[in-house]
Amino acid sequence: MAEPQSCEVTINTLVHGGRGLGFLDGKAVFVPLTAPGDRVRCRPLTVKKRHVEAELVELVESSTLRRIPPCPLFGDCGGCQWQHLPYTAQTGWKERIFAGLLARNGLSGEVLPIVAAGEEFHYRNRVQFKCRLTAAGFVIGFYRTGSHFVVDVDRCLLLRPELQAVLTLLRARMPAAPCPDGVPQIDLSCGDDRSVQLVVHLLPFAVEPMTPWLLELARQQQWTLSLQCGRKDSLRRLHGTADQLLDLHPSGLQLRIGPGGFTQINAAQNLALIDTVCRSAGLTGVERVLDLFCGAGNFSLPLAQRAARLDGVESYAPAIADARANAAANRIDNVAFHAGDALECLDRLLQKNVFDLVVLDPPRTGCYPLMRRLLAARPARIIYVSCDPATLTRDLLPLVHGGYALVASRPFDLFPQTWHIESVTLLQRQ
């Protein structure tokens, strides 16, 4: 196929990554921001032997599936990809895409219905805003898809009200800061107690002039403020003592997560994840459990309530300090938390222990290097919590080929208006 200025394509389906898929002259054509049934004019950006990556130029004929996107920035801001789809269509396609990825990779097992979010908007309790000082003034928002251009965002429909209030205030106050050009990013989070935490990233030249200004602002607004200049180990708390608080009801547990620690961005759906993990674990009180990538204890502590003993492993040392503090605060004493690389800690722990259950909750890149070691350890059950179906299927294949059965996998929608899919998968040793 030649590389025309533009071409017309009918979109047949949606694929992992959120793009629409059509065909032209025998080639697959991927077009973002489209819906099945759309007839679109698109412009090829990358032409390969068997597929074309294109951008939407014109909606020639609209699918009956479409709705008017609620946000006026949709299509320019890269924060959302599916606002043009009704929420029931979003969850239906996520379920279909997830099941299709497992099937195409030869992973047979029960795929349970997706757990939809109770709210499709105003669910985010954590967000990273990109910042720039431009000729038009200080800009705060999200990157445009595929670029480092910051789209100015005055209102984000995904944010919890507490974070939207902070965004509004920052937009009003940051232009008067001593050197706003030294602020590339601001991270916001809020807990179930509605307290707000900020991590402001500063370039080296901005640390001295910006610190007292930010400190005064945090005092006025009663924010917990931390600063970061460079790598994550440079993060330091400047004001306030509030950590992000998570109520893990109905377990009665509470978690506190300090600056820089990972939490799921959707608190309500996080509870659904925990419930599914605990039910899948099937613990009776006599098992030994290993929780890799444990963070501050999100799965560890609920599982420890049902187990004889639990070990948690996390590479980010401050998160391990939080996990230990959370265990003590919740009076859970059958746990041990270890700071270090997952593979190194796994090798060390397996020298002295036999685990009945291993829980994996890795970052988006997955944890493929651990698979061979897990196969050698052969725990009775493995539960894999994933935020990327592509790396999930890659990591599951060695386990399935090495003697594990995929019992059940369930997708979750933690990120309405985007293509992202969370999941919980249970594997049983045969």
Side-chain angles (χ1 to χ4, degrees), residues 142-172:
F142 301 107
Y143 284 146
R144 180 177 291 161
T145 301
S147 78
H148 286 99
F149 178 88
V150 180
V151 177
D152 198 23
V153 173
D154 62 344
R155 180 170 175 260
C156 176
L157 296 178
L158 304 192
L159 298 185
R160 279 180 44 171
E162 299 90 333
L163 298 187
Q164 177 59 53
V166 176
L167 171 62
T168 300
L169 190 141
L170 288 173
R171 287 175 55 83

Side-chain angles (χ1 to χ4, degrees), residues 21 76 103 125 136 190 200 211 293 337 362 397:
L21 167 63
D76 190 26
N125 62 12
C190 63
V200 179
T211 297
F293 313 97
F337 290 103
L397 283 171

Side-chain angles (χ1 to χ4, degrees), residues 85-298:
L85 298 175
Y87 185 58
T88 53
Q90 293 181 33
T91 55
W93 277 101
K94 288 185 181 186
E95 187 176 290
R96 182 174 172 178
I97 289 168
F98 181 78
L101 280 169
L102 293 183
R104 283 195 299 275
N105 284 276
L107 294 166
S108 60
E110 185 178 12
V111 179
L112 300 169
I114 192 168
V115 177
E119 300 290 338
E120 63 170 308
F121 296 109
H122 308 301
Y123 62 84
R124 289 201 69 147
N125 62 12
R126 183 170 55 84
V127 65
Q128 293 182 344
F129 284 115
K130 303 300 181 181
C131 308
R132 291 286 186 276
L133 186 62
T134 70
F138 183 77
V139 174
I140 179 170
F142 301 107
Y143 284 146
R144 180 177 291 161
T145 301
S147 78
H148 286 99
F149 178 88
V150 180
V151 177
D152 198 23
V153 173
D154 62 344
R155 180 170 175 260
C156 176
L157 296 178
L158 304 192
L159 298 185
R160 279 180 44 171
E162 299 90 333
L163 298 187
Q164 177 59 53
V166 176
L167 171 62
T168 300
L169 190 141
L170 288 173
R171 287 175 55 83
R173 300 289 290 273
M174 283 298 295
C179 46
D181 55 330
V183 183
Q185 179 173 308
I186 300 176
D187 305 340
L188 308 181
S189 62
C190 63
D192 289 335
D193 59 354
R194 300 190 176 185
S195 63
V196 174
Q197 299 82 36
L198 282 75
V199 176
V200 179
H201 297 246
L202 295 174
L203 300 178
F205 72 86
V207 173
E208 184 175 349
M210 284 296 295
T211 297
W213 188 89
L214 288 167
L215 179 59
E216 178 59 27
L217 183 62
R219 286 172 175 162
Q220 292 173 8
Q221 302 301 320
Q222 297 184 335
W223 294 335
T224 292
L225 172 69
S226 299
L227 302 182
Q228 183 173 333
C229 182
R231 296 171 60 90
K232 202 170 184 178
D233 57 10
S234 70
L235 191 150
R236 62 187 179 93
R237 196 187 302 246
L238 190 66
H239 178 264
T241 59
D243 293 324
Q244 188 175 11
L245 174 69
L246 299 182
D247 278 314
L248 304 187
H249 55 79
S251 68
L253 299 173
Q254 284 191 335
L255 296 190
R256 294 187 179 275
I257 297 94
F262 173 80
T263 60
Q264 297 289 359
I265 66 170
N266 190 321
Q269 288 290 77
N270 181 52
L271 296 179
L273 278 178
I274 293 171
D275 180 67
T276 298
V277 167
C278 289
R279 289 176 183 271
S280 300
L283 299 175
T284 63
V286 299
E287 294 85 1
R288 185 75 184 255
V289 179
L290 175 62
D291 183 8
L292 296 172
F293 313 97
C294 68
N298 187 58

Side-chain angles (χ1 to χ4, degrees), residues 354-356 373-381 402-404 429-430:
V354 175
F355 294 100
D356 304 290
R373 194 67 186 93
L374 286 177
L375 283 172
R378 293 188 61 76
R381 289 187 170 195
Y404 281 84
R429 187 183 66 212
Q430 293 180 303

